C-alpha cells in the first residue's frame, strides 16, 4: 500500500486507529464516554478540567463557537500525570503532553530539549513506544533573525531532546506559533513563553510517507537553520486505515512558493496534500470523516480561507486556528487525518 514499504509485517494485533472528531458538546460528557483518549480545547475560552486527558491548546479558534477535538479508541482508557507530563492510554494507543514555561527552562532551545527528553523518557517505560504524530506550539515562532529565529532554536532543541529515540525515522508533526494569549487556566505560564508538545503513539509501528513534490524536511539545506526540522510528511497508522498528515504548506522542493499570495498558497497546499494521498496509496480527496486543521497567520484572512476550503473541500470538517507558520512568508498551513 505504501510505496517503498517492502517489509510490512502482518500486524500481531489489528490496531484500529483512533476516531478524531470535532464536537460541540460539554467537556464532561465527552470525558465520561468509554474510549475517550484525549480531548483538546482551543483558545482562551476553552473549558477548564483537571482530567489529564484534557489539553487546553493555546491557539484561538477563528469561528465561534470553537469545538472540542476528541480522540476515541476501542476500550478502556487509563491516565495519569508525572510532573509536567500528562498521559492516557488504551487499546494500544497513547496520548502524552507536556506544557513548559520557557522562562523557567532557559529559552526555546533548552525548553524544547527538555520537552522531548521528558516525553522520550516516559515513552521508554511504556509499551506504546512508536510515536506516530506530534504537535508543537510555541510563542513568537518567527522572532529573531537567521539562525537565531525562535523556530530554528526550537528545531535544535527538539533534535537534541529526541536523542537516538527516533533513529528509525521521525514521526509526522506540526510546529506552529501561538499568539501567547495563554489559557485562563494556564496558571504560572507567561502566555508567550509556553511550549506545548503533545503526541499520539502506538504499540505498533506506522509507515512514514514522504511527498515527492517536497524535499524531506530533515534534508533541508543549510539556509533553513543549523539543524533541519525533524519530521516526516505523513504517517500511515499501524492498521493502515488512516493517514496522519503533517503540517503542509506551500513548500515546493525546499522553497516557499507564492510569497504574499494567499489563494496561490492555498492551491499549492492542496496540491501537496493530494500528492501525499496519492503517494500513500490512498484515494484522492478528503471526506466528511477526515478532519483537517487550517492554521492562519492573519485573523483577517480567516473568512477567505474558509470560503476557499468550503469550495474546494466541500463537507470536510475544517477547524480554523489563529497560528503562525514557521516560515514568515507562509500565510497558511493545513494538517489532519485521512481515513481510508
Ligand atoms: C514545511 O513544510 C512547513 O518543524 O515540525 C511543517 C510541519 C513545518 C512540521 C516541524 C514544520 C514542521 O517545512 C513547516
Amino acid at each position: 500500500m505504501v510505496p517503498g514499504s517492502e517489509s510490512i509485517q502482518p500486524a500481531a494485533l489489528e490496531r484500529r486507529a483512533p476516531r478524531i472528531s470535532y464536537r460541540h458538546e460539554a467537556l464532561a460528557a465527552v470525558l465520561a464516554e468509554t474510549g475517550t483518549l484525549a480531548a483538546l480545547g482551543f483558545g482562551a475560552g476553552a473549558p477548564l478540567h483537571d482530567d489529564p486527558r484534557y489539553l487546553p491548546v493555546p491557539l484561538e479558534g477563528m469561528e465561534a463557537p470553537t469545538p472540542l477535538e476528541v480522540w476515541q479508541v476501542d476500550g478502556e482508557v487509563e491516565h495519569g500525570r508525572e510532573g509536567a507530563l500528562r498521559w492516557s492510554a488504551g487499546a494500544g494507543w497513547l496520548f502524552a503532553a507536556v506544557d513548559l514555561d520557557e522562562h523557567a527552562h532557559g529559552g526555546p532551545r533548552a525548553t524544547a530539549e527538555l520537552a522531548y527528553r521528558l516525553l522520550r523518557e516516559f515513552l521508554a517505560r511504556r509499551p506504546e513506544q512508536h510515536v506516530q504524530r506530534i504537535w508543537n506550539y510555541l510563542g513568537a515562532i518567527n522572532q529573531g533573525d537567521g539562525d537565531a529565529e525562535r523556530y530554528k532554536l526550537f528545531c535544535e532543541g527538539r533534535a537534541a531532546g529526541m536523542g537516538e529515540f527516533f533513529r528509525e525515522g521521525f514521526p509526522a508533526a506540526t510546529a506552529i506559533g501561538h499568539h501567547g494569549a495563554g489559557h485562563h487556566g494556564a496558571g504560572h505560564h507567561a502566555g508567550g513563553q509556553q511550549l506545548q508538545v503533545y503526541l499520539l503513539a502506538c504499540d505498533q509501528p506506522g509507515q512514514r510517507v514522504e511527498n515527492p513534490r517536497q524535499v524531506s524536511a530533515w534534508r533541508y539545506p543549510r539556509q533553513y537553520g543549523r539543524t533541519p526540522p525533524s519530521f516526516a510528511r505523513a504517517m500511515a497508522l499501524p492498521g493502515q486505515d488512516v493517514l496522519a498528515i503533517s503540517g503542509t504548506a506551500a513548500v515546493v522542493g525546499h522553497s516557499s512558493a507564492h510569497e504574499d499570495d494567499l489563494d496561490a498558497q492555498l492551491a499549492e497546499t492542496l496540491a501537496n496534500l493530494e500528492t501525499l494521498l496519492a503517494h500513500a496509496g490512498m484515494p484522492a480527496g478528503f471526506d466528511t470523516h477526515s478532519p483537517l486543521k487550517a492554521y492562519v497567520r492573519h485573523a483577517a484572512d480567516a473568512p477567505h480561507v474558509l470560503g476557499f476550503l468550503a469550495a474546494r473541500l466541500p463537507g470536510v470538517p475544517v477547524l480554523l486556528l489563529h497560528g503562525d507558520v514557521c516560515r514568515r512568508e507562509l500565510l497558511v498551513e493545513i494538517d489532519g487525518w485521512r481515513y481510508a
Side-chain angles (χ1 to χ4, degrees):
M1 179 177 177
V2 178
S5 57
E6 59 289 334
S7 65
I8 299 180
Q9 297 121 343
L13 283 162
E14 274 303 311
R15 290 304 187 196
R16 189 174 165 226
R19 267 83 58 216
I20 313 294
S21 57
Y22 299 137
R23 291 167 59 174
H24 292 280
E25 282 166 59
L27 177 59
V30 164
L31 292 172
E33 291 174 18
T34 306
T36 297
L37 184 70
L40 310 178
F42 298 93
L48 288 171
H49 206 289
D50 276 343
D51 192 304
R53 295 173 297 167
Y54 173 61
L55 185 69
V57 169
L59 293 169
E60 291 295 331
M62 297 175 102
E63 289 175 285
T66 304
L68 296 169
E69 180 180 327
V70 184
W71 300 5
Q72 285 178 307
V73 296
D74 298 319
E76 297 291 321
V77 172
E78 51 169 347
H79 52 74
R81 287 181 192 274
E82 286 190 24
L85 187 147
R86 92 271 301 276
W87 63 274
S88 60
W93 297 94
L94 174 93
F95 164 75
V98 290
D99 255 310
L100 295 172
D101 178 357
E102 287 182 20
H103 286 311
H105 299 290
R109 190 191 186 289
T111 307
E113 181 170 355
L114 175 61
Y116 274 80
R117 185 166 60 73
L118 292 173
L119 288 164
R120 162 169 62 79
E121 288 173 354
F122 175 75
L123 289 164
R125 302 194 302 274
R126 295 288 315 181
E128 307 90 348
Q129 292 194 8
H130 301 283
V131 181
Q132 312 287 323
R133 185 67 177 87
I134 303 196
W135 292 260
N136 306 274
Y137 297 133
L138 63 152
I141 195 166
N142 301 130
Q143 197 180 89
D145 291 317
D147 289 344
E149 187 183 28
R150 283 170 49 83
Y151 171 63
K152 298 186 177 100
L153 300 175
F154 161 82
C155 284
E156 293 180 10
R158 168 170 60 179
M162 281 180 161
E164 288 297 298
F165 195 78
F166 295 96
R167 63 187 164 276
E168 283 171 17
F170 299 120
T174 297
I176 285 289
H178 64 69
H179 287 221
H183 184 259
H184 54 205
H188 62 281
H189 287 307
Q193 303 300 323
Q194 176 190 3
L195 173 65
Q196 182 174 80
V197 183
Y198 68 93
L199 61 80
L200 174 69
C202 187
D203 61 2
Q204 296 183 25
Q207 295 270 341
R208 282 166 283 278
V209 179
E210 289 300 303
N211 188 332
R213 297 183 86 227
Q214 299 181 307
V215 173
S216 291
W218 67 88
R219 295 192 176 122
Y220 280 173
R222 177 66 181 85
Q223 72 200 79
Y224 299 100
R226 287 182 289 244
T227 306
S230 316
F231 69 97
R233 296 293 177 187
M235 183 77 84
L237 300 189
Q240 299 278 316
D241 49 354
V242 176
L243 188 70
I245 301 168
S246 293
T248 302
V251 172
V252 181
H254 59 71
S255 305
S256 302
H258 319 298
E259 190 165 342
D260 296 328
D261 184 339
L262 180 60
D263 272 332
Q265 288 191 19
L266 281 164
E268 200 72 70
T269 300
L270 293 192
N272 277 332
L273 290 171
E274 285 299 346
T275 301
L276 202 50
L277 292 184
H279 200 59
M282 299 198 103
F286 290 84
D287 60 28
T288 56
H289 305 293
S290 297
L292 302 178
K293 287 198 193 78
Y295 304 91
V296 179
R297 181 182 294 275
H298 302 300
D301 287 341
H304 191 82
V305 173
L306 267 182
F308 186 101
L309 295 177
R312 290 283 300 269
L313 303 174
V316 176
V318 180
L319 177 59
L320 235 63
L321 296 171
H322 194 195
D324 297 338
V325 185
C326 59
R327 296 183 182 194
R328 47 189 86 172
E329 65 277 13
L330 295 179
L331 303 169
V332 64
E333 182 172 305
I334 294 175
D335 71 16
W337 311 84
R338 173 59 159 87
Y339 285 73

